[in-house]
Amino acid sequence: MNPWREVGAGVYVRRYRFLDQSIGAIVGDERVLIVDTRSTLTQGQELLADLRELTALPWVVVNTHAHFDHVLGNAAFRPCEAWGHLRCAENMRSSGPALRERALAWSPESLDDLTATPIDPPERTFAAAADLDLGGRIVQLRHLGRGHTDHDVIVRDAASGVLFAGDLLEQGSPPWFDDAFPLDWPDTLGVMLDLVGEIVVPGHGEPVAREFVEGQLAEIAYLAETARRSWSELQAAGHDPAAPAPAALVADAARHLGWPDRPVRDALGRGLAQAAGVL
């Protein structure tokens, strides 16, 4: 765990060892916005204690998407406003037990903590855009399209231009594609580039510059184009789009990108399903 790092005037990032997650805090004159809340009730409580090192202001929460490591700390911050995309809230309401199961797979030692962790969806929801006034500071919440999920939200501080990308970006390891939309993701990142200033904070890893965003966009675009280009031939050969991507296709793409097989297999599997129109 690292201390708070100021990446723009009044805009802070704190990285946590578990999953190398980067949590944001944007400090206004009247309240502070917390970007994501970690993975369990206890982790959320730890984050809240760490926040008190930074400011005594009341807080408001935003969830960038509904994966367990971004939302399961929500209850530690109540009562407060919690914001998220409307499908983030719907996802949490419909798949609460699955969220805990995924968290437990990553952290078996957290069974008791996860059992005591409420599923607490954001109640302030939106479809495309919302602006939050923190007191002398406007923060823009935007859903730019499908990518890592179907409900990713970016958080942009209007004053500094610092942008929190959630898991639309990952630094230090390839992005995750478990429930992603690889054919849409490059376009979503392209829209995000129009909003990028000097600093972008990924959901995991170090803050990055515009060049990193462009590079990761190119990598995901390569996977999307590989899926689109391959589908016609695979369809003619009788490939089931619900089946895993062919091993040879995965291996070739993984060599090209220098990535492990797992994220490439997930990306191409989801991309082929999209190309086939079944996702």
Side-chain angles (χ1 to χ4, degrees):
M1 185 173 66
N2 300 301
W4 292 104
R5 172 182 170 187
E6 192 168 17
V7 293
V11 182
Y12 299 86
V13 176
R14 189 164 186 145
R15 289 175 67 189
Y16 289 88
R17 186 180 303 277
F18 182 65
L19 297 181
D20 194 19
Q21 188 168 23
S22 293
I23 299 294
I26 304 175
V27 183
D29 293 336
E30 299 173 2
R31 53 185 183 164
V32 55
L33 176 67
I34 300 300
V35 183
D36 289 329
T37 61
R38 305 187 66 202
S39 305
T40 69
L41 179 61
T42 296
Q43 287 188 10
Q45 292 167 337
E46 291 171 350
L47 171 57
L48 182 53
D50 293 338
L51 178 65
R52 282 301 176 230
E53 299 174 7
L54 192 62
T55 177
L57 288 170
W59 52 81
V60 57
V61 163
V62 61
N63 297 136
T64 59
H65 61 290
H67 288 168
F68 75 88
D69 49 322
H70 298 260
V71 301
L72 285 185
N74 282 3
F77 291 85
R78 299 297 195 173
C80 73
E81 289 181 11
W83 287 79
H85 192 273
L86 57 88
R87 284 194 295 276
C88 174
E90 291 168 358
N91 186 292
M92 289 182 69
R93 285 192 293 266
S94 65
S95 62
L99 283 175
R100 290 196 187 95
E101 289 171 9
R102 293 186 191 109
L104 191 61
W106 282 96
S107 183
E109 69 278 7
S110 299
L111 175 60
D112 291 343
D113 189 7
L114 285 164
T115 300
T117 296
I119 305 299
D120 192 350
E123 80 289 346
R124 302 297 298 272
T125 61
F126 62 95
D131 290 344
L132 304 186
D133 187 350
L134 304 182
R137 182 166 223 140
I138 299 297
V139 177
Q140 302 161 334
L141 312 182
R142 301 289 186 267
H143 171 63
L144 305 177
R146 302 194 301 184
H148 179 65
T149 68
D150 68 354
H151 58 269
D152 300 288
V153 169
I154 63 99
V155 180
R156 183 180 182 274
D157 174 53
S160 67
V162 174
L163 188 149
F164 292 85
D167 286 0
L168 285 170
L169 286 180
E170 290 200 35
Q171 187 275 333
S173 64
W176 282 79
F177 293 86
D178 291 34
D179 51 355
F181 295 85
L183 303 194
D184 301 88
W185 200 333
D187 287 342
T188 299
L189 286 178
V191 175
M192 193 180 82
L193 272 172
D194 292 336
L195 302 174
V196 165
E198 293 184 6
I199 299 291
V200 182
V201 181
H204 303 266
E206 281 281 340
V208 299
R210 181 185 182 90
E211 290 74 18
F212 181 91
V213 183
E214 293 170 338
Q216 197 152 101
L217 189 163
E219 291 170 331
I220 297 171
Y222 166 80
L223 290 168
E225 180 56 30
T226 298
R228 284 194 185 94
R229 187 183 64 247
S230 302
W231 172 242
S232 294
E233 181 178 343
L234 290 171
Q235 183 181 32
H239 178 75
D240 179 358
L249 188 67
V250 170
D252 184 64
R255 278 194 302 271
H256 176 84
L257 293 170
W259 286 10
D261 283 356
R262 166 68 188 275
V264 176
R265 182 170 57 250
D266 291 344
L268 291 178
R270 297 279 296 183
L272 290 170
Q274 276 198 272
V278 298
L279 180 63

